[in-house]
Amino acid sequence: MQRENARLGPGAGGRSADNSTPAQALDAIAAEMAARGIAPAGGLAELVADGHLHRYRVDGDKAGSRAGWYVIYLDGIPAAAFGSWKHGVSDTWRARAPASEAEQRQHRERMDAARRQREAEQARRHQRAADKAADLWAKARPADPTHPYLQTKGVPPLQAHQLGDSLVLALYDFERRLSSLQFIDGDGGKRLLSGGRKRGCFVPVAGRADTASRLLLCEGWATGASLHQLDGTALVLAAVDANNLQPVAEGARRRWPRLPLVVCADADPVGERKARAAALAVGGQVAIPDAGDFNDAAQAARGKG
């Protein structure tokens, strides 16, 4: 979304009053970042306006985190692009609308340059995380079947590994490249490897595409493990969360265009809506349990729910 810092002042006659001094522009940019929930932890003094991408710690994030990013221009029409990979935010701002074709061209070129810088930095973050994931995955060992999370969920380890007290799940893209890891502790607390790519990546739960009767796609790994118990002939993939269902479904459809695909929703408003959208996007079907997710349903059927 393009935001403009345009105010109408007395006697302006409908023209935008241009609050475009450097100090005013930086104040406005900082305010927009805060409004989007990604204020710099170091405040206004942290912002550097040199047309290059800078990373920063978002206020409230843990020390050492630098998931926020921005590019700021103060000459010409003051403008900025900013966001946070962790918070899923990406936005732009400018002090006013371009008054000429030349200004419009300059602004467009700047935003294109900011986008390219952001994409290049994100690719570097993803590669660093993939390298770290490979190192940790090599150190992990097959999960202990008595791990508290597995016992609570009533599922076998399948392809899950373990590092210390945490289960470790591998996320792959559709080229079978390891992209990231998910860690689950004994109490069910979950976290993803910092900087890792998630969108369009999945946890392979069970099954083989070349022999599968169908593909079952769900959000969480434990849900997928229960689906495998229900249908051992299916290829089961976990998308990690509801927002990733459609990107994974689209990747799966491209990779296996003839494999029937069922999106297995969590029975909550967001889960159902995202599952239906994913199924619609790829011509798949939707399965929804009566309540909770399919692991909850399996637990209830065993008298443990």
Side-chain angles (χ1 to χ4, degrees):
M1 177 184 293
Q2 177 70 63
R3 298 174 184 270
E4 293 180 4
N5 186 34
R7 297 187 177 91
L8 296 180
R15 296 172 59 190
S16 296
D18 181 8
N19 294 328
S20 58
T21 68
Q24 289 172 327
L26 283 175
D27 282 341
I29 293 164
E32 287 293 341
M33 295 166 85
R36 298 287 277 136
I38 57 169
L44 181 63
E46 184 173 341
L47 300 182
V48 178
D50 60 1
H52 296 293
L53 185 141
H54 296 271
R55 295 175 57 184
Y56 69 94
R57 181 170 74 87
V58 174
D59 191 29
D61 284 0
K62 66 180 181 180
S65 169
R66 293 197 305 151
W69 60 270
Y70 67 85
V71 181
I72 298 175
Y73 300 91
L74 291 183
D75 59 321
I77 301 176
F82 55 86
S84 167
W85 290 295
K86 175 181 176 181
H87 300 83
V89 174
S90 181
D91 212 340
T92 60
W93 174 94
R94 66 187 179 194
R96 60 174 174 81
S100 66
E101 183 61 33
E103 285 190 340
Q104 178 65 46
R105 183 169 58 254
Q106 181 191 54
H107 179 72
R108 183 171 56 250
E109 290 172 351
R110 285 178 166 182
M111 291 301 99
D112 286 344
R115 175 184 51 78
R116 290 192 297 271
Q117 290 185 66
R118 182 193 73 232
E119 291 174 350
E121 179 59 26
Q122 188 172 43
R124 287 190 290 268
R125 290 179 75 247
H126 286 166
Q127 187 57 57
R128 287 192 294 267
D131 292 342
K132 184 174 182 179
D135 180 61
L136 292 173
W137 188 248
K139 296 175 181 176
R141 294 295 176 260
D144 182 348
T146 66
H147 187 279
Y149 184 74
L150 300 177
Q151 294 292 296
T152 298
K153 294 295 185 178
V155 296
L158 299 175
Q159 300 180 50
H161 281 46
Q162 188 169 338
L163 273 175
D165 295 330
S166 295
L167 293 181
V168 186
L169 306 173
L171 276 77
Y172 293 89
D173 63 19
F174 282 95
E175 299 301 320
R176 294 298 295 178
R177 293 175 298 206
L178 179 64
S179 298
S180 188
L181 300 173
Q182 183 180 42
F183 304 91
I184 306 179
D185 63 31
D187 295 326
K190 301 174 183 178
R191 68 178 180 88
L192 291 168
L193 184 65
S194 178
R197 178 186 167 199
K198 181 188 71 174
R199 182 176 176 81
C201 298
F202 59 90
V203 178
V205 180
R208 293 174 54 90
D210 56 353
T211 60
S213 60
R214 57 181 176 169
L215 190 159
L216 303 180
L217 173 63
C218 61
E219 293 184 32
W221 175 84
T223 299
S226 291
L227 290 168
H228 173 63
Q229 291 174 320
L230 291 171
D231 183 357
T233 70
L235 171 65
V236 184
L237 307 180
V240 178
D241 59 35
N243 288 327
N244 202 32
L245 286 171
Q246 184 168 333
V248 174
E250 291 172 343
R253 178 58 79 223
R254 289 191 295 269
R255 184 70 178 83
W256 305 296
R258 297 183 180 180
L259 190 61
L261 192 155
V262 182
V263 183
C264 302
D266 285 6
D268 59 69
V270 174
E272 291 188 26
R273 176 167 53 83
K274 295 291 187 178
R276 292 183 190 281
L280 181 64
V282 299
Q285 296 178 305
V286 179
I288 305 173
D290 291 334
D293 57 36
F294 281 96
N295 178 262
D296 298 322
Q299 300 262 42
R302 291 194 295 266
K304 299 178 72 173

